[in-house]
Amino acid sequence: MKKKIVRNYAMITLMALLNAAAISLFIDPHNLAPGGVTGIAVIISRVLSVETGTLIFALNVPILLFAIWQFGLHFAVSTIYATVLISVFTNLLAPFGPATDDILLAVLAGGVLYAVSIGLIMKAGATTGGMDIIVKWLRVKLPYLKTGVLFFITDAIIISVSGIVFRNLDVALYAGIIAVVNSVVLDFVLYGKDEAKLQYIISDKADTITDRLLKELDIGVTQIEGRGAFSKKEKKVLMCVVKKPVSPRVEDIVKEEDAEAFMVITSATEIFGEGYKSYFADRF
């Protein structure tokens, strides 16, 4: 247990540094406000001439109090730790920015580093404060929405405001690219690339097809008893979830055994169970 705590806090420390590097070396020097508390801090820092890292901490104080109320002190401790480190590291690294004068490179590098750091901090049991906490709360209320989607919605509002404040549409659009990159990369870090194919097969040779799928591909198959609404004929419906590279082989087996079989193939973006994700994995 102690080793896990030490490992988590070591990860939080490293990712806090990475998050601060994304802000100080790529995002902040180019006046990019990619959403969240970071985006708000960038906007306010230009108006009040206050360091961005300091503003990140100041803006997080009421949100952290909300986190203690909603999720308890244990969760808030690791989040406070991450938030303080990010604020300090951001101010310390600020003199070294920008790392590149090319704003597009800054957008891509900053967006990827920012998303990866947030995702791994979440996996370590904390957040980077700010909108992370609001999103965590929304995830409890709206579990069917993915984290990246919720971030994108909140970020879009702040990005729109930044375009008005800076009176620069180009900067706002570049900040929007960061939000898109952040959404995609964050979902990848948190959920992994476990997209697979969900296949329904209706055939008069269901048993033969099932035997071949089990023996040749070693995949799970569920047989469901079905009946045609018009013909009233009893038939077995096969349901199986397979990884993308295996899907064409399933189709070949079905075609070889029953050219008249009816197949429905669709994408499955989240799968829990043996061979995929654990039910007890931290979904944030």
Side-chain angles (χ1 to χ4, degrees):
M1 183 65 179
K2 289 183 178 179
K3 288 184 178 179
K4 182 178 179 180
I5 293 175
V6 171
R7 185 169 63 251
N8 284 344
Y9 272 88
M11 176 63 73
I12 292 170
T13 302
L14 180 60
M15 290 303 105
L17 179 60
L18 188 66
N19 187 274
I23 297 169
S24 295
L25 303 182
F26 299 101
I27 296 172
D28 192 27
H30 292 283
N31 294 327
L32 298 169
V37 165
T38 299
I40 297 173
V42 170
I43 295 171
I44 296 177
S45 69
R46 299 304 185 273
V47 177
L48 301 180
S49 298
V50 178
E51 290 180 310
T52 301
T54 302
L55 287 168
I56 289 174
F57 179 76
L59 292 169
N60 269 302
V61 170
I63 299 176
L64 290 171
L65 292 176
F66 174 77
I68 294 173
W69 173 47
Q70 286 290 321
F71 306 113
L73 185 61
H74 176 72
F75 167 80
V77 167
S78 57
T79 296
I80 291 171
Y81 176 75
T83 303
V84 170
L85 283 184
I86 289 171
S87 301
V88 172
F89 287 150
T90 297
N91 285 345
L92 291 176
L93 293 174
F96 300 98
T100 176
D101 293 325
D102 188 319
I103 189 170
L104 184 57
L105 290 177
V107 164
L108 296 176
V112 171
L113 293 178
Y114 192 72
V116 169
S117 63
I118 291 175
L120 293 180
I121 285 175
M122 287 178 179
K123 282 197 166 186
T127 76
T128 56
M131 290 301 170
D132 295 4
I133 293 172
I134 304 301
V135 167
K136 180 177 177 67
W137 179 74
L138 288 173
R139 277 281 290 167
V140 174
K141 301 296 181 181
L142 305 170
Y144 51 85
L145 289 179
K146 285 191 173 183
T147 302
V149 174
L150 290 170
F151 269 117
F152 184 77
I153 293 172
T154 56
D155 290 348
I157 297 171
I158 297 169
I159 290 168
S160 299
V161 173
S162 75
I164 296 172
V165 172
F166 289 131
R167 297 181 180 179
N168 190 326
L169 181 59
D170 288 348
V171 170
L173 290 174
Y174 278 121
I177 295 175
I178 292 181
V180 173
V181 171
N182 185 52
S183 177
V184 174
V185 176
L186 184 59
D187 274 342
F188 180 81
V189 172
L190 290 177
Y191 302 110
K193 191 177 181 181
D194 63 354
E195 185 175 351
K197 292 295 184 180
L198 172 61
Q199 300 187 337
Y200 291 98
I201 306 163
I202 302 174
S203 170
D204 292 327
K205 297 182 179 179
D207 289 333
T208 304
I209 294 173
T210 298
D211 289 340
R212 288 194 61 183
L213 293 178
L214 293 174
K215 292 177 182 178
E216 297 179 26
L217 303 183
D218 191 27
I219 61 174
V221 180
T222 299
Q223 291 190 342
I224 305 170
E225 296 298 330
R227 185 176 67 172
F230 178 76
S231 67
K232 307 300 181 183
K233 185 178 180 181
E234 301 289 339
K235 284 194 176 184
K236 290 181 180 178
V237 180
L238 307 182
M239 183 188 76
C240 58
V241 177
V242 297
K243 295 186 181 297
K244 279 186 174 181
V246 181
S247 182
R249 183 57 186 140
V250 174
E251 296 175 40
D252 289 341
I253 291 176
V254 173
K255 291 174 184 176
E256 290 169 8
E257 295 298 333
D258 184 5
E260 302 298 322
F262 184 79
M263 294 184 66
V264 177
I265 303 173
T266 185
S267 294
T269 55
E270 272 196 282
I271 310 102
F272 292 88
E274 185 177 352
Y276 294 92
K277 290 189 292 190
S278 168
Y279 290 105
F280 305 102
D282 181 15
R283 300 183 66 201
F284 183 63

